[in-house]
Amino acid sequence: MSIVITGATGQLGRHVIEALLERNVPAGEIVATGRSVEKLAGLAGRGVQVKAMDYADASSVAAALKGARKLLLISGSEVGQRVEQHRTVIEAAKAEGVELLAYTSIANADSSGMKLAAEHRATEAILRESGVPFVLLRNGWYLENYTDQLPGTLAQGALAGSAGDGQVSGAARADYAHAAAAVLLAEGQAGTVYELGGDEAFSMADLAAEISSATGKTITYNDLPAQEYAGLLTGAGVPEPFAEILADSDLGIARGDLLVSSGDLRRLIGRPATSLAEAVRAAAAAV
Ligand SMILES: NC(=O)c1ccc[n+]([C@@H]2O[C@H](COP(=O)([O-])OP(=O)(O)OC[C@H]3O[C@@H](n4cnc5c(N)ncnc54)[C@H](OP(=O)(O)O)[C@@H]3O)[C@@H](O)[C@H]2O)c1
């Protein structure tokens, strides 16, 4: 009987496995799955079970879930294909009699107007109809969505976006991962919906001010109409469909779609979430 983590070759999945190991789960009870098992060799060397799983290949999903007691389904990254991919995993989990399926959804999935939320909402509906015991980890934005851009932001001397003065409850991937680990190890989670986000929401102007303070370089925030922002991103080499998703997500931030005030993240991890200031300072020190 094991805890299976999908998307373990990705950034969140890796953090979750480290969080489970930190919580003294025996490595042999953790199954790290991904499309490229060679990317998981380091974990295999530490005693973690490693299995191939491609959401688009039902037989690989069924084989990887053999003996699974709990399952973390990390939402896929192929936008547009995710509903059917997630359905494949949920059906396999049902066939295997998984006791708990935790799914990484999006903050405020039931009310969010963001285009990205549609596939999460559809996946949640499949889960409800499936009869599989499930818990929803409705993750908010990653702080890394901003801190990973720091070198470019500093080079430009400015941030651009379409979020207006909307606020976002960003949190570090590692914090969401610790929350996922806590839920996977707790009893009585079926039917719970967690709205997860940082303790203090911030606007893009707050982010610019935080970067200015951490780096000593004045960074301004330029708010643009969504089409103009998407055009700026494509001009910088971002593929058009992704640029449009990013601009649409900023409009969601302007509406408050990524605002979370539940306190669920802090409660699950048992400490304050990593703050924007801490994350920006760490990223600035690494530049
Ligand atoms: N909250 C946020 O701010 C935010 C931002 C971006 C994404 N997300 C969502 O959160 C998820 C996890 O975030 P992350 O930072 O860990 O993303 P990531 O580093 O891109 O990892 C995505 C993971 O999903 C796996 N995957 C994609 N398609 C798959 C398929 N067909 N079959 C099996 N595995 C598949 C990837 O495998 P490969 O290594 O084989 O590609 C990878 O392991 C993302 O996939 C996305 O749904 C959230």
Side-chain angles (χ1 to χ4, degrees):
M1 294 298 249
S2 52
I3 302 177
V4 177
I5 310 300
T6 75
T9 53
Q11 301 164 91
L12 181 66
R14 285 180 182 280
H15 279 297
V16 173
I17 287 169
E18 293 303 332
L20 289 170
L21 291 169
E22 271 178 44
R23 286 162 192 258
N24 297 318
V25 177
E29 290 180 15
I30 303 171
V31 183
T33 73
R35 288 187 285 197
S36 318
V37 280
E38 56 280 8
K39 289 193 200 164
L40 301 169
L43 288 172
R46 294 162 67 193
V48 172
Q49 295 184 58
V50 163
K51 294 185 185 175
M53 182 195 289
D54 182 342
Y55 301 152
D57 170 9
S59 61
S60 79
V61 176
L65 291 188
K66 278 275 166 285
R69 187 168 62 87
K70 293 188 177 179
L71 165 65
L72 175 64
L73 170 54
I74 291 186
S75 52
S77 45
E78 296 169 319
V79 175
Q81 299 175 48
R82 298 188 293 179
V83 178
E84 289 316 308
Q85 292 179 345
H86 296 164
R87 187 194 303 279
T88 299
V89 180
I90 293 164
E91 285 176 356
K94 182 170 186 173
E96 189 59 31
V98 164
E99 286 171 23
L100 184 74
L101 188 160
Y103 171 65
T104 62
S105 186
I106 193 168
N108 306 309
D110 38 10
S111 60
S112 175
M114 282 167 55
K115 288 188 179 141
L116 273 180
E119 287 179 305
H120 291 292
R121 209 159 29 242
T123 303
E124 291 190 3
I126 295 168
L127 277 168
R128 279 192 196 92
E129 285 160 19
S130 70
V132 175
F134 69 94
V135 51
L136 297 176
L137 303 168
R138 287 183 173 164
N139 288 346
W141 237 210
Y142 301 147
L143 287 175
E144 289 88 343
N145 296 346
Y146 302 113
T147 54
D148 287 354
Q149 306 304 320
L150 194 60
T153 305
L154 291 174
Q156 298 291 323
L159 280 168
S162 301
D165 56 6
Q167 290 187 313
V168 53
S169 305
R173 271 195 193 87
D175 290 345
Y176 293 116
H178 275 280
V183 166
L184 287 167
L185 298 180
E187 295 304 321
Q189 294 295 309
T192 311
V193 178
Y194 291 105
E195 294 285 355
L196 301 168
D199 298 330
E200 285 182 23
F202 57 87
S203 67
M204 293 305 107
D206 295 333
L207 172 63
E210 207 59 69
I211 296 173
S212 304
S213 147
T215 62
K217 186 169 177 190
T218 301
I219 301 295
T220 52
Y221 172 57
N222 297 333
D223 198 60
L224 303 172
Q227 275 311 102
E228 209 176 306
Y229 177 43
L232 186 96
L233 292 169
T234 48
V238 176
E240 197 175 324
F242 189 48
E244 284 182 5
I245 283 176
L246 290 175
D248 176 76
S249 298
D250 262 23
L251 295 178
I253 291 173
R255 288 189 300 267
D257 286 352
L258 288 174
L259 206 48
V260 172
S261 57
S262 65
D264 285 347
L265 181 64
R266 185 187 184 121
R267 265 191 302 279
L268 281 171
I269 64 179
R271 57 169 169 77
T274 307
S275 68
L276 176 67
E278 287 169 308
V280 168
R281 271 163 215 286
V287 168

